[in-house]
Amino acid sequence: MNPPIHIVTAVILDARGRTLVVRKHGSDTFIQPGGKREQGEDALHTLARELREELGVALRAGSARALGTFEDRAVNEPGRRVRSESFLVQVDGTAQACAEIAELAWIPLHPPHGVRLAPLSEHHVLPAARQPAAGTGQTGAGRR
């Protein structure tokens, strides 16, 4: 059995309490923004790079709050599992689909979400983000 794919993911909330999810080209499933670490990167450097590359936004310094590490079936790599370090973060800028991202969606943090979600997001990351300790009030995407 292959080891899980290690990634870092973000939960970004807007002022209405919705969370941003992304869909890659060639996929019908939405996932949390983020991606794989490059050599020598820590989790937050990976997250900052991925958010800049995929969404054109900047991770707001000091805003990241760890939600936990979660594992489930990988939706974009059949037969594999994915293990994510997940963070509730704030960003500066307006998110746009860049690089391998085909579509963005702002969905309710609580079900029903209205889109097809990856098991990692639906069963682990978003439930963790709904916990009172995860965040209070507006923790969403800021605009400059």
Side-chain angles (χ1 to χ4, degrees):
M1 185 169 169
N2 290 326
I5 300 163
H6 292 267
I7 62 171
V8 182
T9 60
V11 173
I12 302 168
L13 301 176
D14 69 7
R16 294 173 46 192
R18 299 175 303 172
T19 187
L20 181 65
V21 290
V22 300
R23 183 181 60 77
K24 291 184 176 186
H25 291 284
S27 178
D28 64 353
T29 304
F30 284 83
I31 60 176
Q32 299 309 126
K36 299 174 189 169
R37 284 187 189 193
E38 290 183 355
Q39 187 172 352
E41 283 184 326
D42 67 23
L44 294 180
H45 282 99
T46 298
L47 203 53
R49 177 182 50 77
E50 290 286 348
L51 294 175
R52 184 177 58 254
E53 291 173 0
E54 295 182 350
L55 301 175
V57 297
L59 177 63
R60 190 174 296 164
S63 73
R65 287 186 257 171
L67 294 174
T69 299
F70 310 102
E71 184 175 323
D72 212 314
R73 179 177 57 84
V75 295
N76 293 316
E77 298 193 39
R80 298 291 307 269
R81 292 185 67 77
V82 64
R83 180 177 295 152
S84 174
E85 289 179 74
S86 299
F87 296 86
L88 181 66
V89 303
Q90 295 178 5
V91 297
D92 292 314
T94 301
Q96 301 174 55
C98 305
E100 70 265 21
I101 303 304
E103 183 180 4
L104 308 177
W106 289 97
I107 64 168
L109 191 55
H110 296 272
H113 302 292
V115 298
R116 180 179 176 154
L117 283 177
L120 185 72
S121 293
E122 184 172 9
H123 302 299
H124 306 283
V125 178
L126 296 184
R130 291 192 294 262
Q131 298 303 311
T136 57
Q138 294 182 1
T139 56
R143 294 185 182 215
R144 278 193 176 164

